[in-house]
Amino acid sequence: MRSLQFLVAGTLLAGQAAAAPQIPNFTQQQIDSGYAIRELSRIAYENAMARVAKSTSGCTLETVRVRKEWRNMTLTDRKAYQEAVQCLMQKPSRNKGIDGARSAWDDYGVLHYFQTPYVHNSATFLYWHRHLNWVLEQDLRDLCGYTGTVSFWEWGLDCGGLGTVETSPLFDGSEYSIGSNGAKVSRPGGGFGMPAGTGGGCLLSGPFSNFTVNLGPNTARNPLKYNPRCIKRDLNTNLCSSAASLRNTTDVILLSPNLEIFQAIVQGDTRWPEGVRAGMSVHGGGHFSISGDPGGDFYFSSLEPGFYFHHGNIDRLHFIWQNLDWENRQTISGTNTMFNRPPTPEAVPSDIMGYEPINRNVTIGQTIDTVGGTPLCYVYAPW
Ligand SMILES: *[C@@H]1O[C@H](CO)[C@@H](O)[C@H](O)[C@H]1NC(C)=O
Ligand SMILES: *[C@@H]1O[C@H](CO)[C@@H](O)[C@H](O)[C@H]1NC(C)=O
Ligand SMILES: *[C@@H]1O[C@H](CO)[C@@H](O)[C@H](O)[C@H]1NC(C)=O
Ligand SMILES: *[C@@H]1O[C@H](CO)[C@@H](O)[C@H](O)[C@H]1NC(C)=O
Ligand SMILES: *[C@@H]1O[C@H](CO)[C@@H](O)[C@H](O)[C@H]1NC(C)=O
Ligand SMILES: [Cu+2]
């Protein structure tokens, strides 16, 4: 009798066991060195690929795109990505009647400018930016013949004692980077109330140092007016170490039992005590490790090529967190306005997220699964 009960209970539990989070216990040293995030990333990748293998959605093992950290891309692939972005910067804008929108790349500045009040500290923060990177990937493919994927920047590999942002393969100014730091400009503090980094001026060298920022800043009387200027950066390893280290990144995953808290911690959203404790946290930390103009501009940061690497990592953290406990982590949390101001109803899967005029609107529900095939079909590789 006893063994029969055990058997029945065992059968019931088997279904639940598969859904339980497979989160090992790590030592502080394993967390700080990056061993932990690499392990979590590997488990999430394997779980996601196992779902792809069984999927009937059209996202298959043949079609799934594998996104890699910049330093895990071959030099050839890095060049191909840069060239595709350069190409997009030469294609015509799809915006009509917006003076500053001169290229297809500028469309991303206009889009983010208009969506900012809805897609930050709201239910769509993670999902809207997730899909934005997908939209960019599609544009690079459709308009510029790119065959690869977007990438991501694991901030913590370049700070917290492991490296510096200035010498990161992403920002070292080499042929295979996305351009260098800005020229050193001495000033009392950095832009937007942040501590100063080590640059502040126009990019010194490398890809995108010739890129012209056409719109913004958001503090201008007419932010959408044509306002051509150099791109500036103010790289900041100290800020990265205090807000976007491997420990900070791993903690986002380990300390978040549900999406509400995950979102609060990622953004340092002070409406939650967990968000208060997270301080500036990884979202602000990654942005302000680049900083500058437009990188530090809340509305126009999407014109900075580094933006998509930063948000790639935010999306990757979300992907890892979701795939550690997929059954329980397909939720939506929050409303459709920033800080719920003005108050709006709780978001639902059928709510539409806007990507005009790039013509890629989707519902929130369509973006919950990166391998859902509607349209998303990608995973993040462990580094
Ligand atoms: C991690 O540690 C907790 C508390 O010590 C324990 O309950 C749990 O079983 C451990 N998990 C694993 C996967 O070892
Ligand atoms: C910047 O330089 C690159 C490489 O020389 C070139 O492909 C690109 O078209 C240039 N971009 C602009 C906006 O001039
Ligand atoms: C972020 O990590 C650093 C160590 O890498 C630590 O000093 C800091 O307290 C962490 N921040 C938070 C909010 O946990
Ligand atoms: C896309 O969504 C926006 C709302 O964010 C809406 O104004 C627009 O009409 C939609 N476009 C299409 C083609 O459905
Ligand atoms: C990715 O790069 C890291 C650091 O450079 C290296 O240790 C790792 O082996 C690489 N991983 C893959 C999958 O290529
Ligand atoms: Cu944003």
Side-chain angles (χ1 to χ4, degrees):
M1 194 59 198
R2 192 184 150 85
S3 69
L4 185 64
Q5 268 178 348
F6 180 75
L7 201 67
V8 173
T11 312
L12 288 174
L13 277 171
Q16 287 165 8
Q22 302 163 271
I23 303 184
N25 290 318
F26 297 110
T27 65
Q28 191 64 56
Q29 199 275 331
Q30 286 176 322
I31 290 172
D32 290 347
S33 69
Y35 171 85
I37 186 77
R38 198 175 166 175
E39 268 305 285
L40 294 172
S41 156
R42 184 186 58 75
I43 297 167
Y45 170 82
E46 285 170 8
N47 289 350
M49 289 302 261
R51 292 196 296 112
V52 173
K54 288 187 298 190
S55 164
T56 52
S57 73
C59 180
T60 65
L61 292 175
E62 286 70 44
T63 59
V64 68
R65 299 181 197 162
V66 181
R67 294 182 179 173
K68 295 179 181 163
E69 217 274 345
W70 186 243
R71 66 204 89 202
N72 283 131
M73 283 171 65
T74 65
L75 298 182
T76 313
D77 288 352
R78 290 186 223 175
K79 262 253 154 342
Y81 178 79
Q82 287 165 1
E83 280 168 10
V85 171
Q86 302 274 14
C87 159
L88 205 59
M89 289 171 170
Q90 312 293 331
K91 295 287 176 193
S93 168
R94 291 150 287 190
N95 275 289
K96 301 275 181 283
I98 293 187
D99 184 36
R102 301 290 163 122
S103 73
W105 182 260
D106 293 343
D107 293 344
Y108 287 80
V110 177
L111 174 60
H112 191 265
Y113 172 77
F114 282 122
Q115 291 287 335
T116 287
Y118 312 104
V119 301
H120 300 98
N121 300 91
S122 69
T124 54
F125 170 66
L126 294 167
Y127 294 121
W128 188 85
H129 288 84
R130 162 175 285 177
H131 190 244
L132 184 69
N133 266 19
W134 175 264
V135 172
L136 175 65
E137 197 172 285
Q138 297 312 114
D139 255 2
L140 296 174
R141 288 173 165 244
D142 296 350
L143 302 180
C144 293
Y146 183 55
T147 54
T149 69
V150 294
S151 174
F152 67 90
W153 174 32
E154 179 75 271
W155 320 290
L157 292 173
D158 298 317
C159 64
L162 295 172
T164 69
V165 181
E166 292 84 347
T167 54
S168 164
L170 201 53
F171 296 113
D172 65 7
S174 74
E175 192 188 344
Y176 303 106
S177 68
I178 57 165
S180 69
N181 199 356
K184 175 122 192 80
V185 176
S186 19
R187 67 239 115 102
F192 305 92
M194 295 297 144
T198 53
C202 301
L203 297 207
L204 292 164
S205 61
F208 305 113
S209 52
N210 62 353
F211 165 58
T212 303
V213 183
N214 289 331
L215 302 103
N218 82 68
T219 48
R221 207 152 54 92
N222 179 0
L224 295 172
K225 195 167 156 282
Y226 183 50
N227 178 23
R229 59 199 189 280
C230 74
I231 171 175
K232 296 178 176 174
R233 282 184 188 142
D234 191 19
L235 303 183
N236 197 326
T237 300
N238 289 338
L239 200 150
C240 178
S241 302
S242 66
S245 69
L246 290 172
R247 182 193 297 189
N248 304 143
T249 306
T250 313
D251 280 353
V252 171
I253 294 169
L254 296 179
L255 302 179
S256 301
N258 56 48
L259 186 61
E260 183 183 346
I261 303 301
F262 182 93
Q263 291 176 162
I265 296 181
V266 165
Q267 296 170 99
D269 191 324
T270 54
R271 291 175 292 169
W272 284 265
E274 292 87 348
V276 172
R277 276 199 291 281
M280 174 184 287
S281 199
V282 294
H283 176 240
H287 270 302
F288 291 111
S289 296
I290 306 173
S291 231
D293 174 27
D297 186 320
F298 188 41
Y299 286 79
F300 289 105
S301 49
S302 57
L303 290 170
E304 154 67 74
F307 176 95
Y308 303 90
F309 292 84
H310 166 58
H311 269 284
N313 204 31
I314 297 279
D315 185 41
R316 165 177 166 266
L317 296 186
H318 185 206
F319 163 88
I320 294 172
W321 181 81
Q322 284 187 300
N323 282 288
L324 289 172
D325 189 4
W326 178 248
E327 291 307 317
N328 296 309
R329 294 182 176 178
Q330 303 165 52
T331 54
I332 299 171
S333 173
T335 74
N336 283 313
T337 37
M338 179 159 59
F339 297 116
N340 196 30
R341 287 200 297 255
T344 43
E346 283 291 306
V348 294
S350 58
D351 286 347
I352 292 170
M353 301 192 290
Y355 296 85
E356 294 291 18
I358 307 179
N359 194 24
R360 294 229 182 245
N361 283 6
V362 281
T363 65
I364 300 176
Q366 284 176 288
T367 63
I368 291 177
D369 189 355
T370 73
V371 297
T374 61
L376 307 183
C377 186
Y378 68 88
V379 295
Y380 287 98
W383 47 263

